[in-house]
Amino acid sequence: MANASPEFGNTHPGKPEPGSTVQLGDGLTVSPLGFGGMALTPVYGEVDPAEALQTLHHAVDAGVSFIDTADIYGGGSNEELISQLLKERRDEVQLATKFALVGTPTDGYTDIRGDAGYVREAVDRSLQRLGTDVIDLYYMHRRDVRVPIEETVGAMAELVKQGKVRHLGLSEVTAQELQDASAVHPIAAVQSEWSIWSRDVERNVVPAAAGLGVGFVPYSPLGRGFLTGTVDTSSLGAKDFRRNIPRFAPDAADANQAVVVAVRSVADQLNATPAQVALAWLFAQGRRLGLPVVPIPGTRKAARIDENLGALALELTPAHLEALDGASDAIVGSRSADPTWVSEGRE
């Protein structure tokens, strides 16, 4: 059964506004900006749990109700942290989590599991850690190429019938994988890396999602912090996840400063911040390419949430977009240590 969305499909969604909502696919309605929970675990350095919980509450207070996590963030501790928010505010949150990767971002991954038995085991573990009886959006985090995607999505569809999950999502799938999955059950969202410096998904995955009425949830929309101009790659901690990514290697990072300069230049012209420009670019791309786009930047600081929300009111001119598009053409280094683990390496 193909996914359908009368509001989006091949039409051009309107600009999201503060306080508004956005419909992804399969009728899932979320805040126009989400929150990526991975930053609230020790992926980019140590985290204060009390500050992390305060940041989550501030996000919901500010209108960011779409909260994204995964079972492997902090070895499950991220889901446990978010459970503390849900105890008080479950009805205010659209909750997304993911399964399939085995391991952790800091210690490394040992496997990808997409078999039906693992799907059933993983969801029950996540529900227990999250302290809830239903997940609003359940993603396959990465593709297990040993298992037909129809088996994985078929098992996920059973979770919908059982009431454990409301909507299904896929992360880092190819266009063909998305089409095959959508034939089994409606897909609400594709989550893949997409930003000014990661545009490979625009070739095949984004057009496929637009045609199927599937929403897009860009992770790392700020280039894992690089696009904000605040990351000193020479001083990343020993366990910082970014040390494994080729474009953060010293020579590549130096070359990639050109895109930071371009983003900052546009930000200065608009009296905005680089983060706001990077997010506004994604909203503009959604309008240009005809599908709903809800980025999920992560942060440990409540003030950054307010800053990011400012992107909803930012208008980029055609000249700004041209400058940013041009800067993205000169990026050095892959966005993944193993390109086959993301859609780019399997298209």
Side-chain angles (χ1 to χ4, degrees), residues 70-73 75-76 79 98-104 109-126 129 138-142 144 146-147 151-152 155-156 159 164:
D71 59 358
I72 50 93
Y73 297 164
E79 289 182 327
K98 301 180 282 292
F99 76 94
L101 287 175
V102 181
T104 69
Y109 303 117
T110 59
D111 203 358
I112 302 175
R113 294 278 303 274
D115 55 283
Y118 188 79
V119 173
R120 292 189 288 267
E121 295 169 7
V123 74
D124 286 340
R125 288 194 293 264
S126 285
R129 284 191 293 260
Y138 198 45
Y139 286 103
M140 179 186 74
H141 204 163
R142 289 293 186 275
D144 182 352
R146 302 164 300 186
V147 177
E151 176 183 335
T152 307
M156 295 168 70
L159 304 180
K164 295 180 178 181

Side-chain angles (χ1 to χ4, degrees), residues 9 83 93 143 154 218 317 332:
S83 74
V93 169
R143 171 86 166 91
T317 68
V332 175

Side-chain angles (χ1 to χ4, degrees), residues 4-19:
S5 173
E7 184 178 354
F8 293 115
N10 289 315
T11 63
H12 293 271
K15 184 176 183 297
E17 299 291 343

